[in-house]
C-alpha cells in the first residue's frame, strides 16, 4: 500500500528495471579544476565571501611532505567544516587510507581532547594558535602521544613553543600558514629546538609542494632578502575566485604580465613578510585592517557594518585589544539618543549605558558567527577627536567600560566569592552581579575553557563548556559546581564525621575484630567485583571521587576511611592490626575470593599486609594495583620506626650523578622548609577536620616506617609510577635506584610497571586521572559477584 506522498521504488523490482541498462563503466567527466567546495570567509562589505576551492588544491595539499602522510597516521578532526583546516584533517586522512576520528560538534575542551588523543591514539593534530597556547599554559601533557602537532592561524608565541618542546620532547611541532584562498596551507615550518633565548618569532617556513611564493613591493617587484614586502602566492593551491564576485576576484587574484618574470596568476594575501637568510619566511603583520582571533580571519569592517545597521546605533568602530595572549574584539558605538543637551560634534565625550544588550546580542548573532561577536561594547556620546580632526583610535583603546552598579551585592558566600575571584582573574573581567553575562563582560571562549579546567582540578567537577554557553553567568557556574558535588560530598562528609565521632566516643584500641559500617565508603555502584582503595597519608574518600566517576567499568568502588580521632591520631598499634580491621570489614562486603585492591602512597604497605593476610587465608587476589608506593622491604640494620633509617638506606644507594640533586634539592630544601615552618605559623585547619601535625607524624608515619616483612607475595602486581622528577622527595630517588620501588624484594608473582608523566599528588587530577583509569580498567575483573 502506497502511504507516502512521494515517488517510491520497491527494491524487489529493482532488477527488473535495470536489466536493460548498460553495464559499461560511466565515463569520468570531472577534472582537477572542478570546484571541490565553497568556503566562506569574512568580507569588508558586510557579507561573507565564498571561496571556490578546486580539486587540484586539495590534491596538492595532501601530497606534500610537511608531514609523512600514510595509512599509519590517525587524524583528529577538531576543526569545524567551515574552517579550512578541516580540509587538511579530512582529506589528509581519507586520501591516504589513514584513520580519521571525528571530534564532533563540541566546543574544544581540554579533557575531551585529551581523552580522544589517548583513546584513539591520535598521531596527527591541528590546533589554532590560541587553543594551542591555552593548552600549553594549563596542561601541555594533554598532548602527549601526538607525533605531529600543527598549529597556526596567527603568529605563534615563541614562549609557548619553547614550553611545548620542553614538555613534549617526542612531538614534532609544525607552523602551518596559509589563507583559505590558497587551500589551507601555503607554507609550513618544522620548528627545531629553540636554543636562542632572544628569538622573537617563529617563521612560517617555505612553500609546500606545487606552491610558489613571492615577496613583492607595491610595484610587484621582488624585495631583497630581509626586506619587508607583501606575500603573493601562485600554484595549484589557488582558488578559482570568489563566488558571484568578479570584482573582488580581479582585485585579489592578479593576472600578471609575464615580462615581470612572475607566474601568470597570483593571489594577493595582504600579509607582510620578509625572507630570512636561510630561505624561510617570517610573517610580520597585515597590510589592511584584517585581524585573526582563534585562527578565524575577521574583517573589522564587517562587524562595523553590522553594528551601523542596528536601528539604535548611529556609528561604530571596532578595535582589537590585546592583554598578554588574550585578544578581544572591542566595539565602540554611538547610540541613537534624543538628548539634545549632549554635544554631538564636540571633541569631548561621555561613556553611557543606554542600549538593551540582550536585544543587541540577538541582532548581532543573526548577522555574525559567534567568533565575530565583540567581547566588549563601550557606548560613547562621541568618538574622541585628535588635533588633526581625526578619530583618536589610540585614546579609544584606553577607554574602559563603566561598571554596572547594583544596589546591594548578591555575592556574600565565601565559596561564591572564591569562584568569583577565580573567574575575574582568569577571564580578565570584573563581575558585580551573579547574573552578569560573562561574555558581555569580556570573557572569551578559550579563557572559559581554561577556567573550566581549573575548576575540575580544584573541586573534582566535570563541567561542559557548552553548559556555560547556554547560560553564561556566574550564578549558573556556581550552580554547576555545587550540583556536581554537593549531594555526594555531603554524604561522604557525613560518613567521615560519623567515623571520627565513633572513635572519639568509643575509645577503641583493639581494631582487629571490629566491624564499622563507615570503615569503607562506597563511591561507585556496580554489579562486578568490588575495587577496594587505600588512600595516602591521612587521606579520605574525597580524594577519589573523580577517579570513581571516570572509572569506566561495572565495579563498585570502596575507599578506606582511616580510623582516626578528631585530632588526627590514628587508632591502630601497627600495620598488621590496621590490615586486620579492613579485612574484617571488606569481608562483610565480599565474603570470598577474587579480591581487587588498589593502593596509593601510604596505603601501599597497608594493602600489601592485607594481601599478605588474604594469601595466608588461601584467598585469591585477582587484581593488585600499587600507585607510587614503595615496598615493605627490610632495612636490615636499621628498622626501629625512625624516618632517618629510610633516608640513610636510600642515600647509600643513590647513583653518583644524582648526589648534587640530593644534597641541594633534598637535604638543603628540607632544612629551609623546616626553618620556614618554625618562623611562620601555618594554618592547621583541614577541609574535613583539624590535623594535628605531631599526631600525624607520630601515628601515620610510625605505622609506615615501622612496617616491614620478609613475606613474598604470590599475586600478580601492576605498579603505576609518576615519572615527573620531584627531587625534593625521597620517593624520586628510590625510583632511580629501583624502578619497582623495592617491591620485587617481596613479590614472586609477575610485576608490570606503568609510568605516567605526573607528580606524586597528581594521579587523581585531570588530565592524568584519565590515563590512570585506563590502566586500572585493563587490570580489573568485571565478573559479577
Amino acid at each position: 500500500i502506497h502511504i507516502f506522498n512521494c515517488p517510491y521504488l520497491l527494491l524487489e523490482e529493482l532488477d527488473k528495471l535495470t536489466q536493460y541498462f548498460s553495464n559499461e563503466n560511466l565515463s569520468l567527466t570531472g577534472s582537477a579544476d572542478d570546484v571541490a567546495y565553497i568556503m566562506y570567509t569574512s568580507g569588508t562589505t558586510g557579507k561573507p565571501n565564498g571561496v571556490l576551492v578546486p580539486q587540484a588544491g586539495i590534491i596538492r595539499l595532501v601530497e606534500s611532505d610537511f608531514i609523512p602522510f600514510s595509512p599509519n597516521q590517525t587524524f583528529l578532526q577538531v576543526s569545524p567544516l567551515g574552517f579550512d583546516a578541516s580540509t587538511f584533517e579530512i582529506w589528509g586522512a581519507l586520501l591516504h587510507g589513514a584513520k580519521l576520528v571525528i571530534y564532533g560538534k563540541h566546543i574544544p575542551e581540554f579533557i575531551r581532547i585529551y581523552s580522544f588523543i589517548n583513546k584513539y591514539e591520535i598521531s596527527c593534530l591541528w590546533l589554532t594558535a590560541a587553543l594551542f597556547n591555552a593548552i600549553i599554559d594549563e596542561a601541555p601533557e594533554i598532548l602527549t602521544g601526538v607525533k605531529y602537532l600543527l598549529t597556526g592561524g596567527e603568529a605563534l608565541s615563541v614562549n609557548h613553543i619553547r614550553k611545548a618542546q620542553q614538555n613534549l620532547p617526542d612531538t614534532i611541532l609544525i607552523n602551518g600558514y596559509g589563507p583559505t584562498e590558497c587551500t589551507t596551507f601555503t607554507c609550513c615550518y618544522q620548528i627545531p629546538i629553540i636554543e636562542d633565548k632572544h628569538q622573537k618569532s617563529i617563521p612560517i617556513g617555505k612553500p609546500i609542494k606545487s606552491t610558489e611564493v613571492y615577496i613583492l613591493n607595491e610595484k610587484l617587484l621582488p624585495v631583497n632578502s630581509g626586506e619587508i614586502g607583501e606575500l603573493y602566492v601562485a600554484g595549484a593551491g589557488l582558488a578559482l575566485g570568489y563566488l558571484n564576485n568578479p570584482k573582488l576576484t580581479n582585485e585579489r587574484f592578479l593576472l600578471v604580465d609575464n615580462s615581470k618574470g612572475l607566474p601568470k596568476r597570483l593571489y594577493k594575501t595582504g600579509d607582510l613578510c620578509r625572507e630570512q637568510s636561510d630561505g624561510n619566511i617570517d610573517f610580520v603583520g597585515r597590510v589592511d585592517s584584517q585581524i585573526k582571533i582563534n585562527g578565524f580571519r575577521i574583517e573589522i569592517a564587517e562587524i562595523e557594518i553590522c553594528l551601523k545597521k542596528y536601528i539604535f546605533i548611529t556609528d561604530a568602530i571596532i578595535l582589537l585589544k590585546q592583554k598578554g595572549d588574550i585578544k578581544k574584539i572591542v566595539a565602540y558605538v554611538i547610540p541613537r539618543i534624543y538628548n539634545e543637551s549632549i554635544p554631538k560634534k564636540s571633541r569631548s565625550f561621555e561613556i553611557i549605558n543606554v542600549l538593551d544588550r540582550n536585544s543587541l546580542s540577538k541582532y548581532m548573532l543573526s548577522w555574525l558567527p559567534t567568533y565575530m561577536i565583540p567581547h566588549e561594547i563601550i557606548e560613547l556620546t562621541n568618538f574622541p577627536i585628535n588635533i588633526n580632526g581625526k578619530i583618536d583610535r589610540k585614546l579609544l583603546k584606553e577607554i574602559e567600560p563603566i561598571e554596572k552598579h547594583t544596589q546591594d551585592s548578591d555575592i556574600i558566600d565565601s565559596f561564591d566569592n572564591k569562584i568569583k575571584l577565580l573567574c575575574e582573574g582568569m577571564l580578565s573581567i570584573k563581575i558585580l552581579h551573579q547574573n552578569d553575562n560573562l561574555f558581555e563582560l569580556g570573557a572569551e571562549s578559550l579563557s572559559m575553557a581554561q577556567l573550566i579546567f581549573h575548576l575540575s582540578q580544584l573541586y573534582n567537577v566535570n563541567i561542559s563548556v557548552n553548559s556555560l554557553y547556554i547560560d553564561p553567568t556566574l550564578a549558573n557556574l556556581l550552580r554547576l559546581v555545587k550540583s556536581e558535588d554537593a549531594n555526594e560530598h555531603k554524604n561522604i562528609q557525613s560518613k567521615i564525621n560519623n567515623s571520627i565521632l565513633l572513635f572519639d566516643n568509643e575509645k577503641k584500641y583493639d581494631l582487629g575484630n571490629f566491624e564499622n559500617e563507615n570503615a569503607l565508603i562506597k563511591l561507585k555502584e556496580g554489579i562486578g567485583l568490588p575495587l577496594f582503595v587505600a588512600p595516602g597519608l591521612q587521606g579520605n574518600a574525597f580524594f577519589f571521587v573523580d577517579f570513581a566517576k571516570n572509572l569506566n567499568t561495572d565495579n563498585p568502588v570502596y575507599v578506606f576511611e582511616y580510623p582516626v580521632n578528631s585530632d588526627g591520631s590514628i587508632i591502630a598499634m601497627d600495620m598488621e592490626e590496621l590490615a586486620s580491621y579492613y579485612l574484617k570489614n571488606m569481608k562483610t562486603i565480599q565474603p570470598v575470593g577474587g579480591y581487587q585492591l588498589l593502593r596509593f602512597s601510604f596505603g601501599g604497605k597497608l594493602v600489601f599486609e592485607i594481601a599478605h593476610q588474604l594469601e595466608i587465608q588461601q584467598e585469591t587476589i585477582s587484581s593488585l594495583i600499587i600507585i607510587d608506593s614503595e615496598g615493605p622491604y627490610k632495612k636490615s640494620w636499621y628498622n626501629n620506626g625512625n624516618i632517618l633509617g629510610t633516608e640513610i638506606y636510600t642515600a647509600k644507594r643513590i647513583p653518583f650523578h644524582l648526589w648534587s640533586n640530593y644534597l641541594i634539592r633534598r637535604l638543603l630544601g628540607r632544612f629551609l622548609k623546616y626553618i620556614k615552618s618554625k618562623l611562620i605559623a601555618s594554618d592547621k585547619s583541614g577541609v574535613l577536620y583539624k590535623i594535628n601535625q605531631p599526631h600525624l607524624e607520630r601515628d601515620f608515619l610510625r605505622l609506615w616506617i615501622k612496617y616491614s616483612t620478609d613475606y613474598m607475595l604470590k599475586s600478580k602486581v601492576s605498579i603505576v609510577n609518576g615519572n615527573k622528577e620531584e627531587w625534593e622527595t625521597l620517593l624520586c630517588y628510590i625510583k632511580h635506584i629501583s624502578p619497582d620501588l623495592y617491591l620485587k624484594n617481596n613479590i614472586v608473582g609477575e610485576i608490570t610497571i606503568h609510568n605516567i608523566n605526573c607528580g606524586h599528588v597528581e594521579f587523581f587530577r585531570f588530565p592524568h586521572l584519565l590515563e590512570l583509569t585506563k590502566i586500572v580498567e585493563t587490570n580489573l575483573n568485571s565478573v559479577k559477584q
Side-chain angles (χ1 to χ4, degrees):
I1 299 173
H2 180 32
I3 61 173
F4 303 107
N5 187 24
C6 63
Y8 68 97
L9 174 66
L10 295 176
L11 294 177
E12 293 83 353
E13 298 178 1
L14 189 60
D15 287 342
K16 295 178 183 179
L17 295 172
T18 60
Q19 61 180 325
Y20 301 110
F21 291 175
S22 170
N23 58 7
E24 296 293 326
N25 289 329
L26 296 175
S27 60
L28 295 176
T29 57
S31 72
D33 292 331
D34 284 347
V35 176
Y37 60 80
I38 302 171
M39 188 162 288
Y40 286 84
T41 65
S42 178
T44 56
T45 62
K47 293 183 179 180
N49 300 312
V51 181
L52 301 167
V53 178
Q55 303 273 1
I58 299 174
I59 297 300
R60 143 262 180 212
L61 173 69
V62 301
E63 284 190 351
S64 298
D65 57 0
F66 53 89
I67 68 163
F69 292 100
S70 77
N72 298 324
Q73 300 284 10
T74 300
F75 291 72
L76 177 61
Q77 186 204 333
V78 180
S79 306
L81 291 176
F83 189 27
D84 60 353
S86 63
T87 305
F88 158 73
E89 295 165 333
I90 295 171
W91 298 114
L94 300 186
L95 292 181
H96 290 280
K99 184 188 295 183
L100 177 65
V101 179
I102 309 297
Y103 184 80
K105 294 182 180 180
H106 298 275
I107 297 168
E109 298 180 51
F110 298 174
I111 301 304
R112 185 175 174 84
I113 290 173
Y114 175 81
S115 63
F116 268 78
I117 290 172
N118 277 270
K119 182 175 181 180
Y120 298 105
E121 298 181 347
I122 303 299
S123 63
C124 186
L125 179 65
W126 159 265
L127 297 174
T128 64
L131 179 57
F132 170 82
N133 291 347
I135 292 177
I136 295 303
D137 278 335
E138 294 299 330
E141 59 273 13
I142 283 176
L143 303 174
T144 301
V146 177
K147 181 64 176 175
Y148 301 98
L149 178 54
L150 295 93
T151 184
E154 51 195 306
L156 300 186
S157 158
V158 175
N159 289 336
H160 286 91
I161 293 295
R162 184 182 285 114
K163 184 177 179 181
Q165 290 176 337
Q166 294 169 352
N167 287 275
L168 305 167
D170 298 324
T171 299
I172 296 171
L173 301 176
I174 299 168
N175 187 5
Y177 160 86
T180 302
E181 290 85 348
C182 301
T183 317
T184 311
F185 294 149
T186 296
C187 298
C188 283
Y189 180 66
Q190 185 169 310
I191 308 171
I193 299 298
I194 299 176
E195 297 178 347
D196 182 2
K197 295 182 179 179
H198 304 290
Q199 183 170 331
K200 295 181 179 179
S201 64
I202 304 295
I204 59 175
K206 298 177 181 179
I208 66 174
K209 182 179 179 181
S210 302
T211 303
E212 302 167 50
V213 296
Y214 302 88
I215 302 176
L216 309 176
N217 62 19
E218 293 178 355
K219 297 181 179 179
L220 296 184
L221 295 174
V223 300
N224 296 323
S225 178
E227 292 183 354
I228 296 174
E230 185 174 352
L231 189 71
Y232 289 78
V233 183
L238 261 60
L240 303 177
Y242 297 102
L243 179 65
N244 299 327
N245 197 338
K247 181 182 178 181
L248 185 61
T249 298
N250 293 333
E251 288 177 3
R252 303 302 294 268
F253 294 88
L254 308 181
L255 295 177
V256 183
D257 184 353
N258 285 337
S259 64
K260 293 181 179 287
L262 298 172
K264 185 176 180 181
R265 190 165 182 262
L266 290 173
Y267 173 69
K268 176 182 172 70
T269 65
D271 290 332
L272 296 175
C273 297
R274 61 181 158 217
E275 184 181 11
Q276 298 179 340
S277 58
D278 59 2
N280 285 304
I281 297 169
D282 209 8
F283 173 82
V284 177
R286 286 289 301 171
V287 174
D288 52 26
S289 63
Q290 191 182 87
I291 60 175
K292 273 198 172 184
I293 292 184
N294 296 345
F296 289 100
R297 191 170 75 186
I298 295 171
E299 292 282 1
I300 284 176
E302 185 174 350
I303 308 174
E304 290 177 348
I305 290 170
C306 168
L307 288 169
K308 289 175 184 178
K309 287 184 177 181
Y310 188 55
I311 189 172
F312 297 111
I313 290 178
T314 61
D315 204 356
I317 292 176
I318 298 294
L319 295 178
L320 183 70
K321 277 187 177 181
Q322 185 159 357
K323 184 178 180 181
D325 293 322
I326 298 176
K327 296 178 181 178
K328 291 183 178 181
I329 303 170
V330 182
Y332 302 86
V333 301
I334 299 177
R336 190 181 302 277
I337 52 180
Y338 300 96
N339 185 351
E340 297 301 327
S341 66
I342 298 177
K344 303 295 187 297
K345 295 183 180 179
S346 169
R347 289 185 178 179
S348 62
F349 63 88
E350 294 179 24
I351 306 173
I352 54 177
N353 262 334
V354 298
L355 292 173
D356 182 340
R357 294 305 176 88
N358 289 331
S359 298
L360 179 56
S361 296
K362 291 177 182 177
Y363 164 78
M364 286 191 292
L365 284 169
S366 69
W367 270 81
L368 302 169
T370 54
Y371 61 84
M372 292 179 70
I373 302 299
H375 300 103
E376 288 181 5
I377 297 177
I378 300 176
E379 302 171 45
L380 303 172
T381 54
N382 260 6
F383 291 140
I385 305 298
N386 61 26
I387 57 174
N388 297 319
K390 296 181 179 180
I391 293 175
D392 193 334
R393 292 175 180 265
K394 183 178 180 181
L395 180 56
L396 274 179
K397 278 196 173 183
E398 296 174 359
I399 299 172
E400 296 294 334
I402 61 175
E403 297 181 344
K404 298 177 184 178
H405 294 284
T406 54
Q407 291 184 346
D408 52 272
S409 173
D410 62 353
I411 304 173
I412 55 175
D413 180 83
S414 60
F415 178 80
D416 292 6
N417 192 56
K418 188 174 182 180
I419 299 294
K420 169 186 173 286
L421 293 175
L422 181 64
C423 290
E424 290 180 334
M426 297 199 66
L427 303 179
S428 299
I429 60 176
K430 179 67 176 177
I431 303 172
L432 295 170
H433 196 280
Q434 284 197 15
N435 290 317
D436 288 344
N437 186 307
L438 300 180
F439 289 113
E440 287 184 5
L441 294 176
E444 50 91 35
S445 58
L446 285 176
S447 297
M448 197 73 84
Q450 289 177 292
L451 173 66
I452 298 303
F453 184 79
H454 265 282
L455 290 171
S456 73
Q457 302 293 290
L458 291 173
Y459 300 110
N460 285 333
V461 293
N462 290 317
I463 299 173
S464 168
V465 177
N466 287 324
S467 59
L468 275 182
Y469 272 78
I470 296 171
D471 181 5
T473 63
L474 176 63
N476 183 42
L477 182 61
L478 290 169
R479 280 194 298 270
L480 292 169
V481 172
K482 293 176 180 178
S483 64
E484 177 72 22
D485 63 0
N487 290 332
E488 63 184 342
H489 277 212
K490 184 177 180 181
N491 182 45
I492 295 168
Q493 180 71 73
S494 175
K495 291 183 177 180
I496 292 173
N497 288 341
N498 289 339
S499 180
I500 295 169
L501 290 172
L502 169 70
F503 289 109
D504 269 351
N505 296 331
E506 293 290 328
K507 300 295 182 185
K508 288 281 181 182
Y509 295 104
D510 181 15
L511 288 176
N513 294 310
F514 179 52
E515 289 187 14
N516 175 12
E517 62 178 356
N518 294 315
L520 296 123
I521 297 178
K522 192 174 187 179
L523 293 187
K524 180 175 176 288
E525 299 290 339
I527 59 174
L529 293 172
L531 173 64
F532 297 102
V533 180
L537 187 72
Q538 194 89 349
N540 53 66
F542 279 106
F543 196 63
F544 298 90
V545 169
D546 234 24
F547 168 77
K549 284 182 184 177
N550 287 274
L551 190 64
N552 191 25
T553 69
D554 204 18
N555 303 94
V557 174
Y558 293 87
V559 179
F560 296 172
E561 176 58 34
Y562 290 126
V564 295
N565 289 311
S566 56
D567 64 359
S569 58
I570 193 166
I571 312 300
M573 296 302 295
D574 51 42
M575 199 70 80
E576 289 84 354
E577 181 188 14
L578 192 59
S580 298
Y581 166 67
Y582 283 117
L583 189 52
K584 176 75 174 177
N585 285 279
M586 283 167 54
K587 290 205 168 190
T588 64
I589 298 168
Q590 182 184 350
V592 293
Y595 289 97
Q596 302 189 122
L597 301 164
L598 184 147
R599 66 193 225 190
F600 169 63
S601 192
F602 170 86
K605 291 184 179 180
L606 169 61
V607 168
F608 187 94
E609 176 57 28
I610 293 173
H612 172 199
Q613 294 183 22
L614 283 170
E615 286 192 352
I616 289 176
Q617 296 174 19
Q618 297 185 339
E619 295 281 10
T620 59
I621 300 171
S622 62
S623 180
L624 179 54
I625 303 165
I626 300 171
I627 302 174
D628 239 32
S629 179
E630 70 177 292
Y633 59 98
K634 279 185 173 291
K635 303 174 194 67
S636 59
W637 64 277
Y638 205 104
N639 189 28
N640 66 353
N642 193 318
I643 195 169
L644 182 63
T646 304
E647 193 81 50
I648 295 173
Y649 186 88
T650 304
K652 288 177 63 179
R653 290 161 175 77
I654 291 176
F656 179 75
H657 69 279
L658 295 182
W659 262 97
S660 59
N661 272 319
Y662 178 75
L663 292 173
I664 298 172
R665 301 176 72 171
R666 168 71 178 165
L667 296 186
L668 181 60
R670 285 180 65 83
F671 175 73
L672 293 175
K673 188 176 179 180
Y674 172 79
I675 296 297
K676 182 180 178 181
S677 70
K678 293 297 182 182
L679 296 176
I680 303 173
S682 59
D683 181 12
K684 304 243 177 136
S685 59
V687 175
L688 303 177
Y689 45 81
K690 187 175 180 180
I691 294 175
N692 188 304
Q693 191 66 27
H695 282 154
L696 181 67
E697 293 189 1
R698 183 192 68 195
D699 293 342
F700 277 85
L701 291 182
R702 170 180 54 78
L703 264 61
W704 167 259
I705 296 167
K706 187 176 180 181
Y707 177 72
S708 65
T709 179
D710 289 325
Y711 183 77
M712 302 298 290
L713 207 64
K714 302 175 184 62
S715 304
K716 291 195 301 182
V717 175
S718 287
I719 300 173
V720 184
N721 287 334
N723 58 7
K724 188 174 180 180
E725 304 290 13
E726 297 177 298
W727 298 113
E728 69 280 5
T729 68
L730 199 60
L731 198 63
C732 180
Y733 299 92
I734 293 175
K735 290 173 188 174
H736 280 274
I737 300 168
S738 178
D740 57 36
L741 281 71
Y742 298 124
L743 281 158
K744 67 180 180 182
N745 296 347
N746 291 92
I747 296 174
V748 293
E750 178 185 345
I751 296 177
T752 305
I753 298 178
H754 306 271
N755 290 301
I756 296 178
N757 186 29
C758 69
H760 183 66
V761 298
E762 296 173 345
F763 286 96
F764 298 92
R765 299 176 183 170
F766 289 110
H768 313 292
L769 170 65
L770 299 179
E771 193 172 350
L772 174 64
T773 54
K774 188 175 181 181
I775 294 171
V776 174
E777 286 164 9
T778 61
N779 280 273
L780 292 184
N781 182 353
S782 295
V783 175
K784 295 180 183 179
Q785 295 187 67

